[in-house]
Amino acid sequence: MANSETISLQQQAERLQGWRDGFQAVYVIATGVQTGFFDQLAAHPQGLTAQELAQRTAYHAPYVAIWCASAYRYHLLDAVNGRYLLAPHVDSLLAGRAHSDSQAVMFLNAVREAGPRLARHADYMQSGAVGSHAEAYGTNPTRLDPPPNQEALQQRLWRDEMQPRVPVLDEALHHGGRVLDAGCGPGLMLLQLAADYPTATFVGLDVVEVGGLETARRLIRERGCANRVHVERVPAEQMTYTEAFDGVLITRVFHEIPVEIRAALFRACYRALKRPGVLLNLDFAYPDTLEEFREPLFWSGVDNQYREMIWGTVHPTWQAQHQMLTEAGFNAIERHFVRHIPQGTHYLAVAHKR
């Protein structure tokens, strides 16, 4: 059992105050994204006065001045000779939305989507009701019209984290191979792979239409990929493919799969793979032990579990995932930590069918 560290009343109070400060900082950031303040400051690296920023964005000057001072307090802005300019790296992280490290949309979603939902947790805890991922996707603007940074992130995930670990799959895709994306959502990974491998073909499966398959179909048409990328509405655990794919991807969706069908999903993925074939499952890193709940490596998974518990989400531990993969028939199972993505640390499971 984990023991609490020795800490004084004052230290605990300061910790709580830090969390309150962080709560307000989230809103300062979200306002700066929503109003375009960060974008304007990025476009003027020499800096702007609060009055100039107000004039360029058509917002109320006294309020803009207070926002600038608050953003300075949180080290989001620096000030030189009365002019505000972005602090180091804020242009990549919060200005614009195309950089793979951008967190702009995440802060908007924290305020618009997560905040109101978290405020209802006490009601859910009393009632035991369960919400719906699908409903959330249908109201999430980033699912209906994915921002550019999501595509940039998918590109980086594949090229930096996945591709180097699966050379056999990479070779197959360069020679007309096939990949299945189980839980493809808006289809961004499919489109990224289609761009990288112009002779390969791809299939995506999902059960969510609004915020999922509808967006994927539109993007596939717009990119001219309909002859090589196909999406279907079918539960992945019920697919009937047999030895049809060189690789199967499950990207940040496994924690949303109901616990009672996860083993069936892995078995279906195993059947769908050729020999040799490989499954790549990217998902939040979640603790196996109580002690790991206090290790930063697992905080993204712990935090996501709390945010999504009212949707019925149950994050799998690595031990549970490994056991299900083994029982499905996979071997040479590897676990890699993926640290450098805005959503926090993830696991990448690489499991082979040989």
Side-chain angles (χ1 to χ4, degrees):
M1 180 67 68
N3 295 317
S4 294
E5 70 273 27
T6 301
I7 187 170
S8 68
L9 173 65
Q10 181 62 31
Q11 288 172 319
Q12 191 69 283
E14 290 174 354
R15 176 182 288 171
L16 293 174
Q17 181 177 340
W19 291 334
R20 292 200 311 273
D21 291 345
F23 169 82
Q24 180 154 315
V26 167
Y27 280 82
V28 171
I29 292 169
T31 297
V33 172
Q34 189 173 9
T35 56
F37 293 162
F38 290 121
D39 293 340
Q40 278 293 326
L41 289 163
H44 296 85
Q46 77 281 5
L48 295 170
T49 66
Q51 182 69 32
E52 290 170 340
L53 182 59
Q55 290 172 346
R56 290 181 179 277
T57 57
Y59 283 97
H60 185 58
Y63 290 167
V64 174
I66 293 172
W67 181 87
C68 288
S70 298
Y72 178 82
R73 171 256 192 273
Y74 289 118
H75 296 270
L76 301 166
L77 303 183
D78 288 331
V80 177
N81 298 325
R83 307 178 76 82
Y84 290 103
L85 57 158
L86 295 180
H89 309 298
V90 173
D91 55 345
S92 298
L93 295 170
L94 295 174
R97 305 189 188 183
H99 196 282
S100 58
D101 288 317
S102 175
Q103 299 186 23
V105 171
M106 294 176 62
F107 279 96
L108 283 180
N109 284 346
V111 171
R112 294 172 174 174
E113 306 284 335
R117 190 169 69 247
L118 288 167
R120 299 178 59 199
H121 268 40
D123 295 335
Y124 275 93
M125 287 183 178
Q126 186 174 45
S127 68
V130 177
S132 165
H133 281 94
E135 292 172 7
Y137 292 154
T139 60
N140 187 337
T142 66
R143 287 272 174 170
L144 302 173
D145 189 19
N149 80 297
Q150 289 194 11
E151 296 199 50
L153 177 59
Q154 298 287 46
Q155 181 183 81
R156 194 173 76 184
L157 283 173
W158 173 254
R159 294 182 180 178
D160 293 354
E161 302 293 344
M162 296 180 177
Q163 182 185 30
R165 306 187 194 283
V166 287
V168 175
L169 176 58
D170 178 55
E171 181 69 16
L173 290 175
H174 279 297
H175 294 86
R178 295 186 77 198
V179 159
L180 173 74
D181 188 348
C184 64
L188 300 185
M189 182 60 84
L190 294 168
L191 293 166
Q192 172 57 45
L193 292 174
D196 280 1
Y197 302 97
T199 64
T201 56
F202 305 91
V203 175
L205 305 180
D206 213 309
V207 295
V208 176
E209 283 285 348
V210 180
L213 294 173
E214 285 186 2
T215 303
R217 294 186 192 104
R218 173 175 59 82
L219 294 176
I220 289 167
R221 288 194 304 269
E222 291 175 355
R223 308 290 174 84
C225 295
N227 62 327
R228 295 192 299 116
V229 183
H230 172 68
V231 294
E232 304 173 10
R233 183 176 183 176
V234 60
E237 75 279 2
Q238 296 178 18
M239 63 180 166
T240 57
Y241 291 108
T242 300
E243 298 188 355
F245 298 97
D246 301 283
V248 174
L249 307 180
I250 308 174
T251 306
R252 290 212 302 268
V253 72
F254 191 71
H255 66 280
E256 300 174 3
I257 302 296
V259 173
E260 62 271 16
I261 62 174
R262 288 175 178 173
L265 171 60
F266 279 157
R267 290 195 298 269
C269 291
Y270 187 84
R271 289 194 302 270
L273 282 168
K274 301 175 183 179
R275 294 181 189 273
V278 63
L279 168 71
L280 295 99
N281 183 22
L282 179 74
D283 213 332
F284 291 95
Y286 193 75
D288 278 291
T289 67
L290 182 62
E291 289 75 13
E292 288 177 341
F293 276 80
R294 289 187 172 177
E295 293 186 16
L297 202 59
F298 298 97
W299 286 352
S300 61
V302 175
D303 293 347
N304 183 269
Q305 172 67 86
Y306 185 79
R307 287 195 303 273
E308 296 191 2
M309 68 178 177
I310 63 172
W311 291 342
T313 291
V314 178
H315 275 262
T317 66
W318 173 250
Q319 291 179 6
Q321 186 178 165
H322 190 280
Q323 181 177 345
M324 284 185 285
L325 288 167
T326 301
E327 292 175 352
F330 289 100
N331 52 42
I333 301 167
E334 308 164 11
R335 175 181 69 168
H336 304 279
F337 285 99
V338 179
R339 293 175 170 85
H340 304 299
I341 57 177
Q343 291 83 356
T345 304
H346 285 54
Y347 287 143
L348 174 63
V350 181
H352 296 269
K353 178 179 180 179
R354 292 174 172 166

